[in-house]
Amino acid sequence: MERSPPPETGRGWGRRRSGAGVFQLARLSSDPPPLSRPRPAGTDRVATMPPLPSTRPPRWSTCSFCLLIVLLPRAEAEVDHLNATLQRSGGGSQCGDYSNQMMEDGMCRLVATLPQLDEQRCPDMFRCTDEVSYWLHENEERKQQVEVLKETISELQEELRSHRHRIKALELQGEDGGHFNLSRHRRFRELEERYAEATALLHLQGTLILDLQNQLHNLTLLVEEVKRNPGCSVDAARPNPLLSAQEGLHPGTGETQHVRNCPIDCASIYYNGVRRSGLYTVVPSLAGMPVQVYCDMDVDGGGWTVIQRRLDGSVSFDRNWRDYRDGFGDLHSEFWLGNDHIHHLSVQGDYSLRIDMEDWGHKHKHALYQSFHVEDEEHQYRLHVSGFSGSAQDSFSWYHDKQSFSTPDSGNICAEISHSGWWYNQCFYANLNGVYYRGGHYTPKSRGPLGPDGIVWYSWRDSDYYSLRKVSMMIRPRSFRAHLSP
């Protein structure tokens, strides 16, 4: 009857040969051995058996009985299971009797007594040893599997540690990513604000471009109108005395023969779309002769024709009648436009007069007169001025209105005392053509004890002996209205 393989309950074992005819199977581990039984009687002879291959075992000549000693580990459950297996496989009849014993070195000793067979080997012994070898082999495989499992567990633990490191790195990256997202959101908000500003600027630029297009359209219409109605050509006949000799040589600075459709004052130039202060040629309607003037396009809306200006004392105003009649000085700095030109400009309509003043402390004041004009030379350029308003107190119209013009050579004592030409009454409360004194306060000792002769506006300091730093007189039509665009 064939024997079934033993169950997989063994541990790792090794085989060794000890004594004559006795095989001892020693356990490789150090587990303590189970309790053993005493060897049964009748085993006084032990057959000597050399190790043989399992395929063809040696033949026994005489064998009264065979003794098999096996050392097993201290595992009672496994020993009991092995005993039960041997008994089921016929160990009692083929392998004889056997017993186990606990040894001092912690090994289990198994003793088996085999029956004697004449002239035959003991096959049952080899069967028993084959079973033990089978369990030893199985246990060795289990041991190798355990070692492999240990290595696998170590690898898994190492891989687990690596995964933990990766998770930690991902968490750190997640925190950095949060900061990056916050910074990107803040950057996005800044870009939105800049986009809103750029959109507003673009809208403003579009509005300005539209306004410039409208102005260009209006200027184009004016140019076309001028082309359809030519005639304001200025041909030089004699130089303007208010310009330098070099400027007087250029065409357009003297009298003309064709003056049709020409501007009559700076307000006309303003209405024609020119809004920059500077020198321009105008042709008063009654005179019919062109004159070079300085136009102020900045003060109070512009359109002013400047008739007098004092800036730095570079021009002397101690002049005779002829100079004051024709004009003198430099239109770029200090000048008197000329009584003839002032007359022709002021009588071609209803004109207003504005006087701007500045003292040596850089304080500014102005006086505005709603009505102003000057009669011709035959009536000695008599003054008509009224309708005062402004930031300065009136020192001009109430005392100098209806007065004739006088110069030092005309026999007027006030003009001689004041060393200038002006509309004197019994001398003056305002003398804007007086001597230029630097610093403001002055005394007339250098010119004799005749009286004050500075650039005086009496109500400024309630004194005749304070000379102003800057003065300008300019006129424009009373009906003038400034335009926002041409």
Side-chain angles (χ1 to χ4, degrees):
M1 180 178 64
E2 294 182 358
R3 190 175 297 141
S4 62
E8 298 181 0
T9 59
R11 300 177 182 271
W13 299 81
R15 176 183 293 183
R16 65 181 179 178
R17 182 176 181 182
S18 175
V22 177
F23 288 90
Q24 293 182 348
L25 303 179
R27 184 177 178 272
L28 297 179
S29 65
S30 61
D31 294 341
L35 296 176
S36 61
R37 298 178 187 175
R39 188 174 61 182
T43 61
D44 53 348
R45 289 188 301 129
V46 177
T48 302
M49 180 182 67
L52 295 175
S54 60
T55 58
R56 189 175 181 83
R59 298 179 62 84
W60 295 78
S61 59
T62 59
C63 181
S64 60
F65 63 90
C66 298
L67 177 63
L68 178 64
I69 301 174
V70 180
L71 300 180
L72 299 174
R74 185 183 179 184
E76 294 182 358
E78 295 181 5
V79 171
D80 294 339
H81 181 73
L82 181 60
N83 291 339
T85 304
L86 294 175
Q87 290 178 0
R88 286 195 306 271
S89 62
S93 60
Q94 295 184 10
C95 293
D97 297 329
Y98 58 88
S99 64
N100 54 11
Q101 182 181 0
M102 179 73 164
M103 299 182 65
E104 296 180 356
D105 58 358
M107 305 296 291
C108 291
R109 183 179 182 186
L110 179 64
V111 179
T113 303
L114 303 178
Q116 180 178 359
L117 299 177
D118 296 335
E119 299 297 331
Q120 294 182 7
R121 60 179 182 175
C122 295
D124 294 334
M125 179 187 69
F126 285 99
R127 292 183 181 179
C128 293
T129 56
D130 288 341
E131 292 178 1
V132 173
S133 299
Y134 174 80
W135 286 108
L136 291 175
H137 178 71
E138 289 294 323
N139 288 335
E140 185 67 25
E141 289 184 355
R142 297 297 182 274
K143 182 179 179 182
Q144 293 177 359
Q145 292 177 0
V146 169
E147 294 297 328
V148 172
L149 290 175
K150 288 182 179 179
E151 294 178 359
T152 304
I153 291 173
S154 298
E155 293 176 357
L156 292 175
Q157 289 177 346
E158 183 65 26
E159 189 172 348
L160 178 61
R161 284 193 294 269
S162 177
H163 283 304
R164 287 176 178 173
H165 287 306
R166 292 178 182 177
I167 292 173
K168 187 65 176 178
L170 290 175
E171 290 177 352
L172 295 177
Q173 290 180 1
E175 294 178 358
D176 295 339
H179 294 299
F180 175 74
N181 291 334
L182 181 60
S183 175
R184 184 169 58 183
H185 181 69
R186 187 181 299 110
R187 179 63 176 169
F188 180 74
R189 295 294 301 173
E190 293 177 356
L191 290 176
E192 283 185 338
E193 293 176 358
R194 292 186 179 180
Y195 175 76
E197 293 177 358
T199 303
L201 291 176
L202 183 62
H203 178 71
L204 178 61
Q205 185 179 13
T207 303
L208 294 176
I209 291 176
L210 181 61
D211 184 61
L212 290 176
Q213 288 177 345
N214 293 332
Q215 295 184 22
L216 180 60
H217 176 70
N218 294 336
L219 289 175
T220 303
L221 294 178
L222 292 174
V223 171
E224 292 178 354
E225 181 67 21
V226 171
K227 289 181 179 179
R228 287 194 299 266
N229 299 286
C232 187
S233 60
V234 180
D235 298 328
R238 61 182 177 87
N240 192 321
L242 297 183
L243 299 177
S244 63
Q246 183 177 1
E247 291 176 322
L249 295 177
H250 294 283
T253 58
E255 299 178 353
T256 67
Q257 296 177 350
H258 306 285
V259 294
R260 186 166 55 92
N261 298 325
C262 290
I264 61 174
D265 56 16
C266 292
S268 301
I269 295 176
Y270 179 93
Y271 286 140
N272 286 333
V274 179
R275 307 296 169 80
R276 180 176 296 180
S277 299
L279 301 183
Y280 299 94
T281 300
V282 297
V283 182
S285 58
L286 297 180
M289 301 294 292
V291 57
Q292 197 85 3
V293 297
Y294 183 88
C295 296
D296 191 318
M297 302 296 186
D298 301 315
V299 175
D300 190 26
W304 296 101
T305 303
V306 182
I307 62 174
Q308 184 259 23
R309 183 163 60 192
R310 308 295 299 275
L311 293 175
D312 50 15
S314 59
V315 175
S316 173
F317 277 65
D318 188 0
R319 301 294 186 107
N320 57 32
W321 180 267
R322 180 177 178 180
D323 289 343
Y324 272 98
R325 181 194 65 189
D326 299 334
F328 59 87
D330 187 354
L331 290 174
H332 295 285
S333 59
E334 294 191 335
F335 66 91
W336 178 260
L337 184 60
N339 288 333
D340 271 348
H341 300 312
I342 296 173
H343 163 69
H344 292 140
L345 286 169
S346 63
V347 297
Q348 60 182 349
D350 295 329
Y351 277 78
S352 299
L353 170 69
R354 179 185 174 101
I355 301 175
D356 285 282
M357 297 168 283
E358 178 184 337
D359 65 8
W360 291 90
H362 302 284
K363 185 176 182 180
H364 297 264
K365 291 183 180 181
H366 76 278
L368 180 63
Y369 299 92
Q370 292 297 321
S371 179
F372 170 83
H373 73 273
V374 174
E375 296 185 22
D376 57 11
E377 185 177 15
E378 183 179 355
H379 297 87
Q380 298 179 335
Y381 305 113
R382 184 180 297 141
L383 173 67
H384 297 269
V385 59
S386 61
F388 168 79
S389 64
S391 58
Q393 295 182 14
D394 185 18
S395 293
F396 183 46
S397 65
W398 70 272
Y399 190 74
H400 295 272
D401 183 37
K402 305 296 192 298
Q403 302 302 313
S404 299
F405 198 86
S406 300
T407 58
D409 62 339
S410 65
N412 188 299
I413 186 61
C414 292
E416 295 179 10
I417 294 174
S418 301
H419 305 99
S420 63
W422 191 247
W423 297 279
Y424 293 106
N425 190 343
Q426 294 179 3
C427 291
F428 62 84
Y429 272 85
N431 183 35
L432 302 185
N433 289 339
V435 179
Y436 194 90
Y437 287 102
R438 299 183 182 277
H441 295 284
Y442 72 96
T443 58
K445 293 181 180 179
S446 60
R447 296 179 179 270
L450 296 177
D453 60 354
I455 304 174
V456 175
W457 189 271
Y458 182 85
S459 61
W460 192 286
R461 295 288 182 94
D462 291 333
S463 172
D464 289 326
Y465 293 97
Y466 186 84
S467 183
L468 296 174
R469 181 169 179 248
K470 292 182 180 180
V471 175
S472 66
M473 301 175 65
M474 45 194 177
I475 63 174
R476 75 179 178 188
R478 190 187 310 172
S479 61
F480 176 84
R481 296 293 182 270
H483 293 175
L484 296 178
S485 60

